[in-house]
Amino acid sequence: MSKVALVTGASRGIGRAVALRLSEDGYTVIVNYSGNKEKADAVVKEIEAKDSEAESYQCQVQNHDEVKEMIKHIKDTYGRLDVVVNNAGITKDTLLMRMKPQMFEDVINVNLKGAFNVIQNVSRMMIRAKSGRIINISSIVGSLGNAGQANYVASKAGIDGLTKSVARELASKNITVNAVAPGFIESDMTDVLNDDLKTKMLEQIPLQKFGQAEDIAEAVAFLASDNARYITGQTIHVNGGMYMG
């Protein structure tokens, strides 16, 4: 049986690109989605059109019980889970003084608690296998900060810290845990930004161009591969030089 990868939030954007890229490396891909079954199934069809295997699975990652059921389904169906990519995320941007407590909690719950829920539930399977790759999608703003995104920034800075802690806990079991931090990537989330803001962002990028979802997918594919077997606890920045930490 081929190796199995789970990608959360994989119905669009970076998650979709990651799912497609991992399928090229021979993985059977579980395309997790929260609400849009049509888009998730479209990703599955794209993968199947390339003679690879995939299935879509609806699960709210912020719900621990739903995540537990998803991982049980994967175990019962495939008997293994080799790579997990925690990509599911939302934004609810506004200035701190206008941010309702629920807006903060919602973003933390999906972006950070969701990753925790998935990692906790997959750990036992990977520990028994004495092998695994956990890759969390962070963000450049987790290192830089960003006005109007206190909730999102906190969630992504939390992802970086979570990555380091879990990497230390699971290293002895031959499980690597890393993060990929995208910079300004063209996606549904960035399409809503006005042209003036995009121009200002472009001026801050030494490579003078925005990234593509495929750029992130390539970094994920590398971390999932045997070539990255000695890399763990790291946050890999993919941002055109916008942040050099």
Side-chain angles (χ1 to χ4, degrees):
M1 181 178 289
S2 65
K3 289 185 176 182
V4 178
L6 165 66
V7 184
T8 68
S11 65
R12 60 188 177 90
I14 289 173
R16 171 184 170 275
V18 169
L20 291 171
R21 179 63 183 83
L22 290 178
S23 73
E24 292 176 7
D25 286 344
Y27 288 91
T28 294
V29 182
I30 313 305
V31 177
N32 163 256
Y33 68 100
S34 62
N36 196 321
K37 179 175 171 55
E38 185 176 347
K39 284 190 175 182
D41 287 344
V43 176
V44 170
K45 288 179 181 178
E46 282 187 79
I47 292 172
E48 291 176 338
K50 298 179 180 180
D51 295 324
S52 295
E53 296 184 12
E55 75 161 304
S56 62
Y57 193 101
Q58 184 177 26
C59 168
Q60 305 286 338
V61 295
Q62 65 270 36
N63 186 307
H64 192 273
D65 290 339
E66 287 188 20
V67 171
K68 185 177 181 179
E69 283 301 312
M70 176 173 66
I71 303 307
K72 182 179 184 300
H73 166 77
I74 294 171
K75 181 181 179 181
D76 291 346
T77 304
Y78 303 99
R80 63 189 299 168
L81 183 54
D82 303 274
V83 174
V84 169
V85 183
N86 286 304
N87 169 75
I90 63 171
T91 57
K92 293 194 175 184
D93 298 348
T94 191
L95 294 174
L96 180 67
M97 297 302 291
R98 298 174 184 168
M99 187 175 291
K100 293 180 172 60
Q102 193 63 50
M103 296 170 70
F104 190 91
E105 291 174 15
D106 288 347
V107 172
I108 293 293
N109 283 341
V110 174
N111 299 6
L112 182 55
K113 183 185 174 186
F116 165 80
N117 287 341
V118 173
I119 292 170
Q120 188 179 59
N121 279 284
V122 303
S123 292
R124 286 186 178 86
M125 199 188 317
M126 289 185 171
I127 288 171
R128 289 193 188 99
K130 295 183 179 179
S131 178
R133 298 281 191 269
I134 297 172
I135 303 161
N136 303 317
I137 303 301
S138 181
S139 171
I140 187 174
V141 300
S143 297
L144 285 178
N146 197 32
Q149 287 194 308
N151 47 6
Y152 186 76
V153 171
S155 73
K156 294 304 184 178
I159 284 288
D160 291 340
L162 179 66
T163 297
K164 292 179 175 65
S165 292
V166 178
R168 290 187 180 277
E169 288 191 26
L170 300 182
S172 64
K173 304 300 182 182
N174 196 36
I175 300 167
T176 65
V177 187
N178 293 288
V180 176
F184 194 103
I185 305 298
E186 292 184 344
S187 66
D188 293 344
M189 284 186 180
T190 57
D191 285 345
V192 300
L193 302 177
N194 62 56
D195 290 338
D196 288 342
L197 182 56
K198 287 182 180 180
T199 299
K200 290 179 181 178
M201 296 288 284
L202 191 60
E203 291 172 352
Q204 301 175 48
I205 303 173
L207 286 182
Q208 290 293 292
K209 59 184 177 182
F210 300 134
Q212 303 297 317
E214 289 73 19
D215 296 319
I216 308 306
E218 288 295 340
V220 170
F222 168 69
L223 290 173
S225 74
D226 289 339
N227 292 328
R229 61 187 176 274
Y230 200 57
I231 300 173
T232 196
Q234 304 302 310
T235 296
I236 309 299
H237 287 270
V238 184
N239 56 45
M242 190 175 178
Y243 170 77
M244 301 182 187

